[in-house]
Amino acid sequence: MRIRVILPVIGDALIEHVRTEVTGWAAAGTEVDVVSLERGTASIESEYDEALAGPGILQRVEEAAAEGVDGVFITCFGDPGVHAAREIIDAPVVGGFEPAMLTALSLGETVGIVTVLPNVLPMLRSLGRRYGIEGRIGAIRVVDLPVLGLEDRQVLLDRLFEQASDAVAKGEADVIVLGCTGMLGVAAELRDRLAAAGHAVPVVDPTGAAVTWLESCVRLGVTPSRTTYMPPPAKTRSA
């Protein structure tokens, strides 16, 4: 199968990092290609950023549809453009939030999220309401690092551990979800550090959850429901 990964930011600096991470999660035989946007923002950390990225994301989805890819991963925890994309392609589409959260809900009663900045907290709460899972979301904590400031792995891990361990100790989380798809390659080490501190809880990586979710959908032969995601009516449009 072929999965198109849409990195919903401008610039190519992160493409190889994302390709390596996604390929590491993909099963043998899954072909992965990664594209960024021609127009948008350098990162998505607000509703404003998400709105600016929208047209560029949908352009890439239209290209994926024309090329007949089997699944699309819009690699951002805020699920930008996901529902619009499902209206215009006959292939499963996911962002980071939905597959990670639905996976986490099968592993424990209360889900805690550790994300980047306070700016994104209202967006994540809103997504929880949209998906009808707000009652299962406990703590949403931040590491107070911007998306473009996650390259220091040790600092990131230390802050993730501080926030996640406190949330678990206070009964605010039975499962931890990494709240940014830019938190690459740290889930297993965070899980092990939590376990060593006496907190035997799962840690869900949103990239891993998204890739394996897409692969499952492709193998099941399921695509977006046309009674929910109806094709847009024909009319003149300008992006």
Side-chain angles (χ1 to χ4, degrees):
M1 72 179 71
R2 182 181 176 195
I3 293 177
R4 170 66 48 81
V5 180
I6 299 174
L7 180 60
V9 299
I10 53 176
D12 297 335
L14 298 174
I15 283 182
E16 289 308 315
H17 295 290
V18 172
R19 190 194 317 276
T20 299
E21 183 76 5
V22 172
T23 302
W25 287 107
T30 296
E31 179 185 345
V32 173
D33 59 78
V34 185
V35 296
S36 57
L37 305 187
E38 292 183 357
R39 58 190 184 277
T41 63
S43 63
I44 296 180
E45 295 166 330
S46 66
E47 296 281 4
Y48 180 64
D49 291 336
E50 186 171 314
L52 289 176
I57 292 170
L58 296 177
Q59 174 192 354
R60 292 307 193 195
V61 173
E62 289 172 343
E63 293 167 358
E67 294 174 31
V69 305
D70 297 300
V72 174
F73 172 31
I74 301 170
T75 177
C76 175
F77 194 70
D79 287 6
V82 166
H83 296 277
R86 289 172 179 169
E87 296 179 349
I88 61 172
I89 188 170
D90 290 316
V93 181
V94 294
F97 184 92
E98 189 175 18
M101 294 301 291
L102 294 182
T103 298
L105 291 175
S106 71
L107 300 172
E109 182 63 26
T110 303
V111 178
I113 302 169
V114 187
T115 189
V116 284
L117 296 171
N119 307 53
V120 305
L121 298 182
M123 300 169 66
L124 300 186
R125 291 291 185 192
S126 179
L127 282 173
R129 290 190 295 272
R130 174 166 193 162
Y131 293 126
I133 61 173
E134 67 271 28
R136 299 278 300 278
I137 299 175
I140 304 184
R141 304 290 190 89
V142 299
V143 294
D144 208 23
L145 293 169
V147 173
L148 299 177
L150 299 177
E151 68 279 355
D152 191 324
R153 190 172 188 274
Q154 195 56 54
V155 170
L156 174 59
L157 270 166
D158 289 344
R159 295 192 185 185
L160 284 169
F161 175 74
E162 177 185 3
Q163 295 300 324
S165 60
D166 189 60
V168 175
K170 291 179 176 176
E172 298 174 354
D174 303 304
V175 183
I176 297 296
V177 171
L178 300 182
C180 177
T181 55
M183 296 175 175
L184 301 174
V186 296
E189 187 168 342
L190 176 60
R191 180 199 62 215
D192 292 345
R193 285 184 64 174
L194 288 169
H199 306 305
V201 299
V203 176
V204 178
D205 183 298
T207 296
V211 172
T212 54
W213 190 281
L214 278 178
E215 290 178 323
S216 293
C217 286
V218 174
R219 291 190 174 94
L220 288 168
V222 294
T223 57
S225 169
R226 290 298 167 228
T227 60
T228 296
Y229 301 105
M230 302 179 190
K235 66 181 76 172
T236 301
R237 293 180 171 89
S238 174

